[in-house]
Amino acid sequence: MSLIRSSLVLIAATGAAAFPYNVRNSTDSSLNAFIETETAIAKQGVLDNIGADGKLVQGAAAGVVVASPSKENPDYFYTWTRDAGLTLAAVIEQFNAGDTSLEPLIQSYVDSQAKLQTVDNPSGGLSDGSGLAEPKFNVDLSAFTDAWGRPQRDGPALRASALIAYGNALIKSKQESLALDNIWPLVQNDLAYVGQYWNQTTFDLWEEVQGSSFFTTAVQFKSLVEGNAFAEALGQSCDACSVAPQILCHLQDFWDGSSVVSNIPTSGRTGLDANSLIASLNTFDPAATCDDVTFQPCSSRALSNHKVFVDSFRDIYSINQGRGAGKAAAVGRYAEDSYQGGNPWYLTTLAAAELLYDALYQWDQQGTLTVDAVSLSFFTDIIGSNVTTGSFSKTSAQYTSLTSAVKTYADGFVSIVQEYTPSDGSLAEQFTRDAGEPASATLLTWSFASFLTAVSRRNGEVPASWGASKAGTLPSQCSGETVTGSYVTPTPGSW
Ligand code: NOJ
Ligand code: NOJ
């Protein structure tokens, strides 16, 4: 089913070094110590779950990111395109930050995806692109053929973004031909997929509801914008990329004035969902302004949504007792969740922190912070009713007090993760709502990856700009325009 009827108007057009801020909370030595220990554990936790050498995932092919070693209740011994793409984005960041030992692993991920793109599966095949949005595969790269919520159309976009990040690193180090031969063919397929299918309904990132998903739409938009620049850098062209403004236009449909309604239709939920926070982590551009249209982390929309989203968990988990408005709280996927206990998740609680670290980075870059009618309630909660709307420059006392409150609030979410992380540092998927004990899949790869990106942002380390500031212009009318793609059979490269 189409999300947007063609020709219809659905809406009105509407790597830095040390932490640069003067708000570093160096008094919290327990948190800093936890972060240091846990960072090493999280790095290893990711590596342990990637084949062929990962010590917890015997049988996984080279470069295959297994979601978790857990084989029952739940069985996560598969590779999901989404989890893998997000995990590789974190690994590539570490590589770009200087850990060159990761390069062979990144290359084996690329090669594994070259094989995977050709595997026929229940979503389809490569000839018309449809198979690219199959959500998960067996760890030997064969198709998973049981019933599942498919297709999931965020996968190709997330994989393209991870591949582009590595491709850009190759270009930077004057290895353009490797990017062209080994990366571009895969990226081209995934971008073609996005351009052709973005206007079709999808299963959301939680694999539960079918419709339009804010996260999926956001990551699709970003992939086409950075894909276009990547194509140009390689002397190629991206036909699919021309629909990026239409995807951005559709993204505006999810905003309700104070929060993001993550799924359309809402399927009987409020729509408040970590979907929206994780989307802003992915559209984060360190060079962007606090742009509402792309839901940048420092935008008023993202901050208002953050408040309303976090508030929706304060009263439903008993571990949040005493964590009232303005205090960090444990958060899950969405309040109505009942999967595996419907508990708080590590990766969503870390997303709540990461979004605020991103925002701090952006205010620092811009040298100013603006409070407006939309973001006022976010700031009032964490500072008090004396906050007023206005623009505050970096040299002002207001700026210092606002940013230091945001930093303390952000650290609070990491402190919650600290409190409910077992002493061996393992991060499962969830922690129980009543006792804060690890629950559901153990040693979840995505939990570890989310810890690494949150901590990088806390340290002022950010990914490269993807061009958000040039891409935020909306067409005067939304349309459901798509581009039929052509798909090439990629071959694993020689490096
Ligand atoms: C429902 C869960 O909420 C979803 O996230 C999970 O992947 C599927 N069931 C399969 O277990
Ligand atoms: C369930 C989550 O809802 C989904 O997003 C994820 O891809 C799988 N588990 C695997 O981690």
Side-chain angles (χ1 to χ4, degrees):
M1 224 220 292
S2 288
L3 308 177
I4 291 186
R5 261 149 279 170
S6 49
S7 84
L8 251 227
V9 194
L10 286 188
I11 53 149
T14 56
F19 203 72
Y21 327 122
N22 53 356
V23 295
R24 182 171 213 144
N25 189 349
S26 55
T27 52
D28 198 345
S29 57
S30 150
L31 180 62
N32 288 335
F34 166 70
I35 286 174
E36 200 179 321
T37 324
E38 189 64 26
T39 297
I41 293 170
K43 281 184 187 166
Q44 193 57 45
V46 166
L47 298 179
D48 286 349
N49 290 351
I50 304 180
D53 301 328
K55 71 170 187 287
L56 299 177
V57 293
Q58 269 170 40
V64 168
V65 179
V66 180
S68 149
S70 173
K71 289 189 174 173
E72 56 185 34
N73 194 28
D75 182 0
Y76 276 20
F77 206 77
Y78 296 94
T79 185
W80 272 260
T81 304
R82 168 182 41 262
D83 297 45
L86 292 169
T87 300
L88 259 291
V91 170
I92 293 161
E93 266 189 37
Q94 311 263 327
F95 167 74
N96 283 335
D99 187 351
T100 53
S101 73
L102 295 168
E103 191 158 28
L105 182 78
I106 296 167
Q107 293 173 344
S108 65
Y109 165 75
V110 177
D111 290 347
S112 73
Q113 301 309 299
K115 285 186 211 145
L116 208 61
Q117 284 195 344
T118 68
V119 176
D120 284 332
N121 60 64
S123 294
L126 182 60
S127 59
D128 64 353
S130 54
L132 296 171
E134 175 68 359
K136 73 176 206 185
F137 291 82
N138 295 318
V139 302
D140 64 358
L141 295 175
S142 62
F144 167 79
T145 53
D146 293 355
W148 206 254
R150 56 168 70 90
Q152 295 177 17
R153 304 187 201 271
D154 56 339
L158 294 170
R159 176 169 52 205
S161 290
L163 293 168
I164 290 168
Y166 180 52
N168 282 331
L170 290 171
I171 294 173
K172 220 169 149 188
S173 62
K174 309 259 180 285
Q175 301 178 84
E176 251 167 58
S177 62
L178 285 183
L180 185 61
D181 296 346
N182 296 352
I183 310 267
W184 172 247
L186 284 79
V187 169
Q188 191 180 23
N189 285 338
D190 284 334
L191 298 178
Y193 181 87
V194 173
Q196 181 164 353
Y197 295 101
W198 72 270
N199 194 28
Q200 303 289 307
T201 52
T202 179
F203 272 86
D204 71 319
L205 80 167
W206 311 131
E207 318 188 284
E208 294 179 330
V209 293
Q210 206 170 5
S212 211
S213 166
F214 181 76
F215 174 79
T216 303
T217 303
V219 299
Q220 288 176 334
F221 165 65
K222 179 196 171 185
S223 73
L224 294 192
V225 173
E226 63 181 347
N228 200 46
F230 184 59
E232 275 176 18
L234 293 173
Q236 304 296 306
S237 61
C238 171
D239 295 344
C241 295
S242 66
V243 303
Q246 301 307 337
I247 305 181
L248 184 64
C249 209
H250 176 46
L251 194 68
Q252 312 311 306
D253 295 344
F254 298 85
W255 177 246
D256 79 356
S258 60
S259 64
V260 172
V261 179
S262 289
N263 297 299
I264 305 173
T266 52
S267 306
R269 302 180 190 164
T270 63
L272 299 173
D273 191 313
N275 172 316
S276 58
L277 273 67
I278 302 170
S280 285
L281 304 189
N282 281 277
T283 56
F284 168 56
D285 184 326
T289 59
C290 298
D291 174 28
D292 271 335
V293 171
T294 58
F295 294 81
Q296 288 302 311
C298 67
S299 68
S300 296
R301 283 182 176 181
L303 295 172
S304 174
N305 179 63
H306 189 286
K307 173 205 152 43
V308 182
F309 167 77
V310 174
D311 284 350
S312 73
F313 296 95
R314 295 190 188 282
D315 296 334
I316 66 165
Y317 301 148
S318 33
I319 57 166
N320 278 341
Q321 226 164 23
R323 296 183 172 132
K327 293 194 180 132
V331 298
R333 301 193 297 183
Y334 51 92
E336 304 88 343
D337 197 0
S338 62
Y339 173 61
Q340 293 279 339
N343 295 300
W345 285 38
Y346 293 100
L347 72 91
T348 55
T349 305
L350 288 163
E354 183 173 327
L355 188 144
L356 302 178
Y357 295 133
D358 289 346
L360 284 164
Y361 184 91
Q362 292 178 314
W363 290 318
D364 186 64
Q365 287 293 300
Q366 290 160 47
T368 172
L369 184 161
T370 299
V371 179
D372 65 13
V374 174
S375 60
L376 184 61
S377 59
F378 167 84
F379 289 105
T380 313
D381 272 4
I382 60 173
I383 297 162
S385 54
N386 53 340
V387 182
T388 53
T389 57
S391 279
F392 306 106
S393 93
K394 211 165 160 176
T395 52
S396 67
Q398 291 99 321
Y399 180 95
T400 306
S401 99
L402 292 164
T403 50
S404 102
V406 172
K407 173 65 163 47
T408 302
Y409 190 44
D411 279 354
F413 291 95
V414 185
S415 292
I416 287 172
V417 167
Q418 174 184 12
E419 181 171 347
Y420 301 117
T421 296
S423 53
D424 66 359
S426 60
L427 294 180
E429 180 184 76
Q430 313 183 13
F431 46 105
T432 59
R433 46 166 80 210
D434 298 329
E437 278 155 11
S440 189
T442 51
L443 301 166
L444 188 80
T445 315
W446 188 1
S447 294
F448 288 128
S450 71
F451 184 86
L452 294 175
T453 53
V455 164
S456 291
R457 299 302 173 273
R458 184 175 188 266
N459 292 334
E461 293 157 8
V462 297
S465 167
W466 56 272
S469 44
K470 278 186 237 141
T473 314
L474 289 172
S476 56
Q477 290 194 349
C478 286
S479 91
E481 182 194 349
T482 56
V483 178
T484 304
S486 51
Y487 300 86
V488 291
T489 301
T491 41
S494 64
W495 301 94

